[in-house]
Each structure stands twice: as C-alpha cells, then as structure tokens.
Amino acid sequence: MAWLLHISDLHAVAPGQLVSGRLDTGHLLHEVITTLRARMQAIGPIDAVLVTGDISDDGSAESYAIARQELERLGVRLLVIPGNHDRREPFRAAFSDLPEIAPRGLIDWVADIGDTRVVGLDTLVEGQGGGALRDESLSHLREALAGSGDRQVIVALHHPPLRTGIRFMDAIGLANPDALRDGLDRHGVPVRILAGHVHGVYHGLLGRHPVVTAPACCSAFAFDRRADAAAGFMTGPTGCALIDTAPGGVWTELPFAHGEGPFTF
Ligand SMILES: [Fe+2]
C-alpha cells in the first residue's frame, strides 16, 4: 500500500506577476502548503506527493524555483509530471535531481512506492492547451505495465481522458484517450488514472479503468455546460486529494477551505 497526496495545477509565476492579472499564485501556494503542514498530523504519514502538472503558469525558471521551494516544505518524496502550461526544459532543470526525471526526451517515468507502481506520462505539447500521448509514452506505459509484477498500478498524467461538459476545457483535452485505453487494456486488471488540468473533481471511466481528477491549488472552473458559457476561472473551490492505494483504500478530496469545528454532537 501507499498513501499519495495528489496536488495539481499550482500555476506558479515569476515574482511580482499575477495569473490572468488577478491570481497571486505564489501566495496561494504558500498558503496551501502551510495549510497542509498544519493538517499533516491528521492526514497521517504520506509516502509521496504526486503533482500532475501546470506546476508553472509561465514556464519561467523563477516560477519553478518558487514551486519547488514550497513543495519541499512538505518534506515528502516528490513525483512530478508536466502540464500544458509547463515548459519541458525549465521543468526538467528544476527537478533534474529527482531520480525519475530523465536528462532528455519526454518526462515519462516509473516510481515504485511500496507495493504500488506509479507511471507518470508526459502529455505536454508545447505551445498548445490540449495534450497528447506520443508513441514513445505509450511504449513506456507498455513496458511499465509488463514489469509491474504483483504491484498495483496508478497512471498519472495531466490531461484526463474524460469530457467534463465544460466546453472550453473539453476543447483542450487529451487528443488520444483511445490509445491510452488500448495500452491499459493489455494489463490484466483495471488501472487507476489520476489527472489534473480541469481544476476540479471529475470521476469517470476509460473503458474499465477508473479516472479521477484533483482540484487545483489556485483556481476552479464553473460547471456550466451551456454553449455560450463564459470561458474563465473562479477563485475556488481549491484543494487536493489523498489516495490510499491498498485494496479497499479510499480516494478523498482535501478542500483547502473547510468549515469551523469540529463541534460535539
Ligand atoms: Fe491548470
């Protein structure tokens, strides 16, 4: 078993910058990490923090330095994959000391955490919002599944293979979810897929494989399926997720804002 803290979409920027002229994501991330640290005794031991992309908003080296500094405050092993806002080479430079990060090529990796194999897949297509899995990543997935032995497998990628109904997000989704499903179908058992990108919690199935997305650290998107829904962001709800990979273990959302209490019944 393994306990994973799933964080996504930090959207860090260079100092003094705001995302969309409004969001101070550096400050928000600092608050997020402070909140998590304060709750860590209640949350319990964590084996790894999995960050599913959009670590930076602007791709700058400064933004990665800020994000890395904040993430390190959790004091837990980091697993990171890029999202559409990231830039692969500054991303690689910021995390090059992590054992999973290859010195060149796509940022695909395998990490065995206890009896759980986490497979990170790089869906970043630089210069566009939508993502895609290249043949290289799909063969990496095949090898990672073939060598997984008795381990449970989790696949982590930025762009979820789901439609949310939010049109401006579905327009920049994963281009080839069927290729992912075909790759996973060769495995004997369902594989859990964790993603980010959509700044909210969405559950679904890719064939027989369960998919769930984490909320973002910095913003959310209104759930509005109308064709003329405004494209834009909300300041919340924000949060992250916690996964116990053991059989019968839970996936739960950890919202960053929660109510007062607990009060006695
Ligand atoms: Fe994002």
Side-chain angles (χ1 to χ4, degrees):
M1 58 160 269
W3 283 88
L4 304 176
L5 190 65
H6 179 189
I7 293 179
S8 203
D9 295 81
L10 287 52
H11 288 269
V13 285
Q17 303 296 309
L18 298 174
V19 171
S20 304
R22 187 177 292 268
L23 288 177
D24 185 350
T25 52
H27 173 72
L28 290 168
L29 179 59
H30 186 76
E31 300 264 286
V32 160
I33 302 296
T34 300
T35 298
L36 286 170
R37 280 167 56 100
R39 292 191 203 161
M40 213 42 107
Q41 276 199 316
I43 291 170
I46 298 294
D47 297 296
V49 173
L50 172 66
V51 192
T52 49
D54 283 0
I55 291 176
S56 170
D57 191 76
D58 60 11
S60 66
E62 299 98 315
S63 68
Y64 287 110
I66 288 169
R68 180 78 195 260
Q69 185 180 357
E70 291 295 341
L71 289 167
E72 289 296 339
R73 293 173 60 217
L74 292 171
V76 180
R77 178 176 178 179
L78 288 177
L79 302 171
V80 293
I81 51 172
N84 53 293
H85 281 268
D86 289 301
R87 291 294 168 265
R88 198 170 280 109
E89 293 318 313
F91 181 106
R92 191 192 316 277
F95 296 104
S96 60
D97 58 308
L98 301 183
E100 294 78 26
I101 305 297
R104 64 190 66 81
L106 297 178
I107 300 177
D108 299 319
W109 45 256
V110 173
D112 291 330
I113 312 287
D115 68 353
T116 301
R117 168 159 286 197
V118 186
V119 184
L121 298 177
D122 179 343
T123 56
L124 166 60
V125 181
E126 294 212 19
Q128 70 174 53
L133 286 164
R134 269 57 56 110
D135 289 346
E136 183 183 338
S137 297
L138 293 166
S139 53
H140 164 81
L141 174 63
R142 271 195 297 279
E143 283 171 28
L145 290 171
S148 61
D150 292 335
R151 298 182 192 91
Q152 319 182 49
V153 180
I154 283 179
V155 165
L157 73 176
H158 181 67
H159 295 83
L162 293 178
R163 291 182 312 280
T164 62
I166 302 173
R167 293 176 190 228
F168 68 86
M169 286 309 293
D170 290 346
I172 55 166
L174 183 68
N176 52 346
D178 292 351
L180 177 59
R181 188 200 58 219
D182 290 348
L184 295 175
D185 279 350
R186 293 197 185 91
H187 200 51
V189 293
V191 174
R192 182 184 279 174
I193 302 164
L194 304 178
H197 188 49
V198 290
H199 292 217
V201 176
Y202 294 87
H203 295 261
L205 287 171
L206 179 70
R208 61 197 166 119
H209 311 286
V211 185
V212 63
T213 61
C217 287
C218 63
S219 67
F221 303 131
F223 184 75
D224 189 337
R225 297 169 61 209
R226 290 174 292 185
D228 61 350
F233 65 90
M234 314 284 289
T235 56
T238 58
C240 63
L242 189 62
I243 301 106
D244 171 9
T245 67
V250 294
W251 179 100
T252 190
E253 181 185 7
L254 296 177
F256 292 138
H258 60 182
E260 300 295 311
F263 302 104
T264 51
F265 290 110

